[in-house]
Amino acid sequence: MNPFDLSGRLAVVTGAKRGIGFAIAESLAAAGADIVGVSATLDPASSEIGERVRELGREFSGHRVDFADRDQVTDFAEALAAGDRQVDILVNNAGTIRRAPAAEHSLDWFDEVLEVDLTSAFVLSQILGRRMLQAEYGRIVFTASLLSFQGGINVPGYAAAKSGTAGLVRALSNEWAGRGVTVNGIAPGYIATDNTQALRDDPDRSRAILERIPAGRWGTAADIAGAAVYLASDAARYVTGTILPVDGGWLAR
C-alpha cells in the first residue's frame, strides 16, 4: 500500500489561487484528494487551480472568502461542516503581510494580519475540527514561517501571527492527537512568491538572504507542496504538534 495515497479524501486549501496554496492544492490532487479551494479573490466558477485539479481527475469546488471578515470565514466553515461529505484534510495557508517599522506600524495593519493569518485559521480548525473529532480522523496543516522561530524586520504583525501559529499547532495537537486528528505546520523558508517580491527586488537584501541559505537558492512553491502531502497522508500518522521547516537549511546555518 502507498502511505501517501490520498484517494477518496477531501482537502480544503485556503489561499489556493496562487503561490504556495496553488502548489499544495495541485499536489494533494495529484496524490488523489478532491479539493475545496478557497481564496479572497478566487472566481468560484472559473479558476486556474480548478482547471488543474480537474485535469488530474479530481473534483474541485471553488469559494471566495475574505479571511479578514470573521463572519464570512465562520459561515463558510459552518456550511462545510454541515455538508454531506467529511473534510479529511484542512490546509490553513491563506495569509497576508504588511511591512513597516514597528514604531510606525499601524494598529489597523496589525489587526488585519492577525485576523487573516491566525484567527481565521483557528476558526476553520475549530469548526471543521469538531467533525474530524467525531469521525476520529483528520489532518490539519498550517503554513507557519521562519518567523515562527525568528523575529523578522519591519513585520511585527506577521511575526506575531506566525509565532501564534506555532503555538496553535501545539495547543490543538495536545488536545486532538489522541482522537485521530494530527495538527502540524510547515515553515517555508524564503520562497519565490508575491509575498517575497519586495525582498527579491532589493539587491542587498536578496544577496544577504542567498548567502545564508546553504542550498544557495530561493525556494519554490513546489518545494512546500511535498511536505504538505506528507503531513496530510498516513505516512505522517504519528507526526503531530511539529513545525517542519522547508528552508534550504536556513535555520541550521
Side-chain angles (χ1 to χ4, degrees), residues 43-126:
D43 182 347
S46 177
S47 65
E48 185 179 352
I49 185 56
E51 292 175 4
R52 180 59 183 142
V53 169
R54 294 185 183 104
E55 285 175 359
L56 291 166
R58 312 303 170 196
E59 296 179 10
F60 179 84
S61 174
H63 301 265
R64 179 179 293 171
V65 175
D66 181 356
F67 294 96
D69 185 326
R70 193 173 303 182
D71 289 339
Q72 280 193 38
V73 175
T74 301
D75 290 347
F76 168 72
E78 288 180 343
L80 275 181
D84 294 333
R85 191 169 177 189
Q86 164 74 28
V87 173
D88 303 294
I89 301 160
L90 168 62
V91 181
N92 287 309
N93 170 74
T96 190
I97 191 168
R98 295 289 192 176
R99 299 183 185 276
E104 304 163 13
H105 203 285
S106 78
L107 288 179
D108 286 344
W109 278 10
F110 191 89
D111 289 344
E112 176 196 7
V113 172
L114 261 67
E115 188 70 34
V116 173
D117 292 13
L118 184 60
T119 304
S120 71
F122 175 68
V123 170
L124 287 167
S125 299
Q126 182 185 60

Side-chain angles (χ1 to χ4, degrees), residues 41-247:
T41 58
L42 185 74
D43 182 347
S46 177
S47 65
E48 185 179 352
I49 185 56
E51 292 175 4
R52 180 59 183 142
V53 169
R54 294 185 183 104
E55 285 175 359
L56 291 166
R58 312 303 170 196
E59 296 179 10
F60 179 84
S61 174
H63 301 265
R64 179 179 293 171
V65 175
D66 181 356
F67 294 96
D69 185 326
R70 193 173 303 182
D71 289 339
Q72 280 193 38
V73 175
T74 301
D75 290 347
F76 168 72
E78 288 180 343
L80 275 181
D84 294 333
R85 191 169 177 189
Q86 164 74 28
V87 173
D88 303 294
I89 301 160
L90 168 62
V91 181
N92 287 309
N93 170 74
T96 190
I97 191 168
R98 295 289 192 176
R99 299 183 185 276
E104 304 163 13
H105 203 285
S106 78
L107 288 179
D108 286 344
W109 278 10
F110 191 89
D111 289 344
E112 176 196 7
V113 172
L114 261 67
E115 188 70 34
V116 173
D117 292 13
L118 184 60
T119 304
S120 71
F122 175 68
V123 170
L124 287 167
S125 299
Q126 182 185 60
I127 294 172
L128 297 179
R130 289 173 184 149
R131 189 163 175 186
M132 290 179 178
L133 292 170
Q134 291 174 355
E136 298 186 335
Y137 181 89
R139 301 285 185 264
I140 300 177
V141 181
F142 288 77
T143 298
S145 169
L146 293 182
L147 299 195
S148 298
F149 306 95
Q150 301 173 326
I153 299 172
N154 294 335
V155 286
Y158 186 80
K162 292 304 183 179
S163 295
T165 294
L168 187 56
V169 164
R170 291 187 283 267
L172 296 181
S173 177
N174 287 343
E175 293 190 36
W176 295 353
R179 300 175 65 184
V181 180
T182 65
V183 185
N184 292 287
I186 299 170
Y190 284 91
I191 309 298
T193 65
D194 291 349
N195 274 358
T196 60
Q197 188 66 56
L199 296 176
R200 288 182 288 126
D201 288 344
D202 183 329
D204 293 334
R205 288 283 284 133
S206 181
R207 181 171 57 255
I209 288 167
L210 286 173
E211 286 174 350
R212 173 162 170 176
I213 300 173
R217 65 171 176 86
W218 287 79
T220 68
D223 292 326
I224 309 303
V229 172
Y230 165 64
L231 292 173
S233 76
D234 284 343
R237 65 182 180 272
Y238 199 58
V239 178
T240 191
T242 192
I243 305 294
L244 173 62
V246 182
D247 64 355

